[in-house]
Amino acid sequence: MAKTSSAAAAAPIQRVSLLRILGPVHVWALGVGIVLVGEYTGWNFAADKGGTLAALIICWVVGLLYTAVAMIDSEVTSTVAAAGGQYAQAKHIVGPLMAFNVALYLVFAYTMLEVSNAILIADTMKAYIGEGFTDWHYKGIIATVIIVLATLNYRGVLMTLNVNFVITALAYLAIVVLFFSVQPWSQGAVLKLNEMVTPENALPYGWIGVIAGFHWGIWYYLGIEGTTQAAEEVRSPARSLPYGTMAGMITLLIGASLTWYVCASLMPWQYLGFTYYPLFDAGKLTGSKALETMMFAATILAALASANGCINDAARAWFSLGRDRYLPTWFAAVHPTYRTPYRSIVFLVPIALAFAFIANLGQAITFSILSGVLHYTFMSVNIMMFRNKWPLGTIRRGYTHPFHPLPAIVLFILCVVTFFAIFLGYGAQLTAMVVFYVIMSLWFHFYRYQYVRRGDQFTMPWPRPKGY
Amino acid sequence: MWLTLINIAAAISGLLALWMLYDWFKTDTSYSEETLTSSREGEIEAVSEKHKV
């Protein structure tokens, strides 16, 4: 017996890790899949804050913010290729407390976005079905969306992101089809931009309205940085992540501009800033039943793709925290057959359901946006520290972003503007969230960090940083 | 028709939730905790990339 025990103890443990199976297409599907729902709802609330023209200005200025995010992220992630994305970056470049906070931002941003998507699907179905739709059906749809997608994620990352690619591509194609169906080359035929946007109503609240609109303008692109969560599951992180992320950003910039043009030309700003379904409404306003049905289906598909990607990303961030003992290691389990972080996926299901049943869409979106902007602020600091500690030429980078430090400075300034915009609309929620993160930081510093194996958490075979 | 489909979808999602819980239980009882939590960050990078520029 003793011999058997010692033999078992001596036998090496069979390692079970996440599967390296994804390519650039899956990275694109993950990033664009998470974000595209923002064209179907959310961005248009910027028109309520500052008018239709403000929504366009924000579309491009926030596009600049996210281009900076994508470039910075691509450079750092092509070097720190690990699940957890920005969490792993923060751990190696800034330190454990920052990493813990970044992981919390990620988990909350993606879980709240998943919740928002489930609520959006239920609201859209309710609006479409009308008579006979009860609270039971509403909650049934929310539960179905969250559980079915969690099951898909549980069964494997390849199928999850293959499905995401198909439904994201269909939802994107619907925007392109709608754009060409309304004859954009012939103003007056269907589109009436000159009637909807006039010098008098273009910026009804002036430039302060433009700044206030940043809060919702983030929604055009929120989540593109989620591509980095796939870092440990792509075959060639140094190539696939920059390629998939930048291609995704280009896709979204085009999609956002087309969306604004069609919606702004069909709806007055007062309605555009109020509706939950601007593209679905645009389909209705064309008078074509086929376009209306297509945009209804595309709204559902976009929300499904987003929720699917969010489950993938939130689970990987949570899993990474467990693997480094920032949370109990129990969360760091990988399924031996499906090679997914199955306990993290299942653990986050009841949390998402609880928020989906008690929160409304505006609160859930704001929670997600706030966590996202905190995260982007970190990224601007992170890239400065990364370049200072490991200058070009000291470690191998899959991608080197141009014009450093300009993108980092632009990103930081735009984050400050967005915080101000959020404060104008949701000051109490902003303060409450910051207090929450401070309390969690204290918990981590004074209690949880004693369980962390300090040497084990730094895994990248990098040279000693400059100045250390 | 839509309402019936929603009811059917909700029932299927209930079954899927039960399947996930069953598979979770089966996995946890079939493998040791060391095996399940044996994943390590950066293992492949450590082998394939030495960062010699």
Side-chain angles (χ1 to χ4, degrees):
Chain A
M1 183 67 193
K3 195 176 174 182
T4 312
S5 302
S6 63
I13 296 167
Q14 187 194 350
R15 286 281 168 88
V16 182
S17 53
L18 301 178
L19 206 55
R20 281 198 180 272
I21 199 166
L22 304 176
V25 166
H26 301 104
V27 175
W28 179 92
L30 180 61
V32 178
I34 289 174
V35 182
L36 194 62
V37 69
E39 327 298 2
Y40 282 87
T41 190
W43 70 271
N44 54 302
F45 299 134
D48 182 48
K49 299 282 183 183
T52 306
L53 185 59
L56 179 65
I57 294 168
I58 295 163
C59 169
W60 290 338
V61 175
V62 172
L64 195 63
L65 181 155
Y66 276 92
T67 305
V69 164
M71 290 198 303
I72 290 169
D73 226 15
S74 294
E75 175 171 332
V76 185
T77 306
S78 69
T79 313
V80 189
Q86 292 84 1
Y87 156 76
Q89 299 174 13
K91 189 177 63 177
H92 286 86
I93 297 166
V94 184
L97 184 60
M98 187 74 247
F100 177 73
N101 276 280
V102 168
L104 285 186
Y105 304 158
L106 290 168
V107 171
F108 278 105
Y110 292 121
T111 305
M112 289 299 110
L113 191 48
E114 174 197 347
V115 166
S116 308
N117 289 314
I119 294 173
L120 174 69
I121 292 170
D123 279 338
T124 312
M125 294 290 283
K126 187 180 176 183
Y128 191 76
I129 295 168
E131 193 109 345
F133 193 92
T134 63
D135 192 48
W136 154 256
H137 296 111
Y138 189 84
K139 288 183 173 159
I141 289 172
I142 287 175
T144 300
V145 168
I146 291 173
I147 292 171
V148 169
L149 294 178
T151 311
L152 186 62
N153 273 271
Y154 187 101
R155 286 283 278 110
V157 71
L158 184 62
M159 178 56 83
T160 299
L161 294 184
N162 278 339
V163 168
N164 237 41
F165 175 73
V166 173
I167 59 180
T168 302
L170 287 173
Y172 191 79
L173 197 62
I175 296 176
V176 176
V177 170
L178 176 69
F179 179 74
F180 284 107
S181 301
V182 294
Q183 303 172 44
W185 53 84
S186 173
Q187 272 287 339
V190 182
L191 304 180
K192 296 178 173 60
L193 186 63
N194 56 345
E195 290 176 27
M196 297 297 168
V197 185
T198 63
E200 290 74 36
N201 72 12
L203 293 175
Y205 305 119
W207 286 99
I208 190 71
V210 178
I211 290 174
F214 267 72
H215 175 183
W216 297 109
I218 288 281
W219 206 244
Y220 276 117
Y221 314 99
L222 182 75
I224 185 66
E225 73 285 354
T227 51
T228 58
Q229 296 297 325
E232 206 165 309
E233 290 156 284
V234 290
R235 286 187 296 267
S236 172
R239 172 180 163 269
S240 300
L241 288 168
Y243 187 67
T245 307
M246 301 304 264
M249 201 54 222
I250 292 166
T251 310
L252 290 167
L253 282 164
I254 295 168
S257 301
L258 299 186
T259 299
W260 180 89
Y261 186 71
V262 172
C263 293
S265 303
L266 287 170
M267 291 167 237
W269 71 274
Q270 295 93 335
Y271 183 77
L272 182 61
F274 169 78
T275 179
Y276 274 109
Y277 332 98
L279 278 171
F280 180 28
D281 283 339
K284 281 183 192 169
L285 288 167
T286 60
S288 160
K289 190 68 188 168
L291 285 177
E292 179 186 339
T293 307
M294 181 184 76
M295 296 320 292
F296 163 72
T299 303
I300 302 289
L301 290 178
L304 280 172
S306 182
N308 196 25
C310 286
I311 293 171
N312 178 87
D313 281 6
R316 270 131 191 97
W318 198 254
F319 159 80
S320 303
L321 282 172
R323 194 163 57 176
D324 287 330
R325 297 174 181 267
Y326 286 28
L327 288 175
T329 49
W330 186 81
F331 290 114
V334 174
H335 197 291
T337 308
Y338 306 132
R339 311 285 287 275
T340 53
Y342 68 110
R343 285 181 188 160
S344 295
I345 291 169
V346 178
F347 176 78
L348 292 173
V349 168
I351 293 173
L353 284 172
F355 275 104
F357 290 147
I358 59 171
N360 67 37
L361 189 57
Q363 286 171 333
I365 289 176
T366 302
F367 210 126
S368 181
I369 289 172
L370 269 172
S371 298
V373 180
L374 281 167
H375 175 200
Y376 304 143
T377 311
F378 145 76
M379 287 173 71
S380 61
V381 177
N382 189 48
I383 186 66
M384 299 292 265
M385 292 182 71
F386 183 55
R387 284 285 184 104
N388 285 340
K389 287 184 175 178
W390 291 278
L392 296 182
T394 54
I395 55 173
R396 186 186 299 164
R397 289 161 159 88
Y399 168 80
T400 305
H401 82 275
F403 312 122
H404 178 79
L406 196 59
I409 294 167
V410 170
L411 179 59
F412 187 81
I413 291 170
L414 290 175
C415 284
V416 172
V417 172
T418 310
F419 275 125
F420 179 66
I422 295 170
F423 180 75
L424 292 177
Y426 284 79
Q429 206 164 347
L430 175 64
T431 310
M433 271 206 69
V434 171
V435 169
F436 167 76
Y437 284 120
V438 169
I439 292 170
M440 291 308 294
S441 297
L442 292 172
W443 172 82
F444 178 76
H445 181 76
F446 288 109
Y447 175 72
R448 186 66 214 176
Y449 198 55
Q450 64 185 304
Y451 297 105
V452 176
R453 289 180 183 163
R454 300 178 188 196
D456 290 354
Q457 58 185 321
F458 302 108
T459 57
M460 294 298 145
W462 290 353
R464 189 180 290 272
K466 189 180 160 190
Y468 284 77
Chain B
M1 184 195 75
W2 281 107
L3 301 178
T4 310
L5 283 175
I6 292 169
N7 288 332
I8 293 169
I12 291 171
S13 69
L15 291 174
L16 289 174
L18 287 175
W19 175 82
M20 266 196 295
L21 292 174
Y22 165 72
D23 187 76
W24 179 1
F25 174 76
K26 197 178 76 174
T27 304
D28 281 8
T29 51
S30 304
Y31 295 87
S32 70
E33 193 63 15
E34 284 87 3
T35 302
L36 293 173
T37 58
S38 59
S39 165
R40 293 290 173 267
E41 181 185 279
E43 271 179 337
I44 293 176
E45 283 69 33
V47 173
S48 63
E49 295 185 31
K50 301 296 181 194
H51 288 297
K52 286 178 183 168
V53 179

